[in-house]
Amino acid sequence: MNRALSSTTQSLKSAIDKYNTSINDPYNFLDINNNIRMHEELIRFEDNRLIGRRRQTAILLTIFGILFVYFPQIVTFIFQRQNEWWVLSIFSLYFIGIIASVICFILHIWPANIPQQISPSIFFNEDLNNYKDEGLDDEEANIGVKHSYLRNLEKSLELLQNANKWKGFWHFWCIICLSVTFVFYFASSTIVIASNKIDNREIINKTKNNMGEEKKKKFDPSKTHDVPPQVIREGKEIKFINTSKKDSTKK
C-alpha cells in the first residue's frame, strides 16, 4: 500500500511539475499547447498584416487619381502639336510609368490564396472519433487532435505568409513605379501648362492688335472722294447745290 501511495504521489508531483514548467516557460517546444499558442499568435499577426495591405489600396488609388488629372491634356497636346524629341521622350516615359504602375497595382490587389477558418467541431467531433476508431483512448485521441489542429495552423500560417509576401512584393514595386512616374508626370504637365499659357498670351495679343486695327483705319489715297466743281454762267447768282446728287439737266 505504501508503494502504491508513493507511486501515486510521484505521478502527481510529475504532473504538477510539468504544468508549472508549461506555465513558467512559454517557449517550451516540447509542449503541444505552447506550440499551438505560438502559431495562433503568428496567424493573428500575419492576418493583421494582410488587412493592412488591403487598406493601402485606397492610398494607391488616390495617387493614381493625381497622376491622371492632366492625362487628357497631355494626350491632346501630343496629337495637336509637332513636339521636339526630348518632349516626346518625357511623355513616353510618363506613359510607360503609368502602364507599369497599373500592372503592379493589379497584381497587388489580385486575390491571394488565404486559409478559411473551419468549424471547431471538425476537430473535437469528427477527428476525435477517427482517432478513437483507431483504438486510442480519450487521452491519446485528444493528443492526436491537438497535433491535427497544430498541423492545420502550420498550413494556415504558411498560406498567410505567402499571401503577404506576394502582396508586399508588388506593393513595393507599385510604389517605386508611381514615384518615378510622378517625376515625368510633373515634367509633362509643366510643359503642357507652360505651352498653353504662351498660346493664350499670343491669342490675347493678336486679339488686341485686331481690335486696334478695327478702331483706327489708315487712309488709302486710291479711295479719295471725287468732289466736282460747281459750274455756273457768269453773272448769275451762286447757289450752293448738293454735289452728292447728279445734275439732271445742264444749262
Side-chain angles (χ1 to χ4, degrees), residues 40-58:
E40 288 176 340
E41 291 177 357
L42 286 175
I43 286 175
R44 282 193 293 267
F45 173 75
E46 294 293 338
D47 192 46
N48 291 332
R49 285 183 62 195
L50 188 62
I51 294 173
R53 302 286 187 194
R54 293 169 180 169
R55 291 175 179 174
Q56 293 171 352
T57 303

Side-chain angles (χ1 to χ4, degrees), residues 65-71 74 90-91 93-94 98 180-191:
I66 297 173
L67 292 178
F68 276 96
V69 171
Y70 280 94
F71 184 82
I74 293 173
I90 293 176
F91 291 157
L93 292 174
Y94 164 67
I98 285 290
V180 176
T181 305
F182 188 83
V183 175
F184 295 107
Y185 167 73
F186 179 78
S188 301
S189 58
T190 302
I191 293 172

Side-chain angles (χ1 to χ4, degrees), residues 179-218:
S179 301
V180 176
T181 305
F182 188 83
V183 175
F184 295 107
Y185 167 73
F186 179 78
S188 301
S189 58
T190 302
I191 293 172
V192 172
I193 294 172
S195 300
N196 290 337
K197 286 185 177 180
I198 294 174
D199 293 342
N200 293 334
R201 193 175 303 166
E202 292 178 353
I203 292 173
I204 292 173
N205 293 334
K206 186 176 180 180
T207 303
K208 290 181 178 179
N209 294 333
N210 292 336
M211 291 176 64
E213 291 178 358
E214 291 177 359
K215 290 181 179 179
K216 185 178 179 180
K217 294 183 179 180
K218 294 183 179 181

Side-chain angles (χ1 to χ4, degrees), residues 146-183:
K146 288 182 179 180
H147 282 275
S148 298
Y149 180 59
L150 178 61
R151 180 168 298 180
N152 176 267
L153 293 178
E154 291 174 350
K155 294 180 180 179
S156 299
L157 179 62
E158 183 179 0
L159 288 173
L160 285 173
Q161 288 176 340
N162 291 335
N164 281 319
K165 183 178 180 182
W166 171 270
K167 289 185 176 293
F169 176 82
W170 290 113
H171 178 266
F172 170 79
W173 282 109
C174 186
I175 293 295
I176 294 296
C177 293
L178 286 174
S179 301
V180 176
T181 305
F182 188 83
V183 175

Side-chain angles (χ1 to χ4, degrees), residues 20 34 62 78 85 104 177 181 188 199 229 231 241:
N20 292 331
N34 287 331
T62 303
I78 293 175
W85 66 269
C104 292
C177 293
T181 305
S188 301
D199 293 342
V231 180
I241 61 176

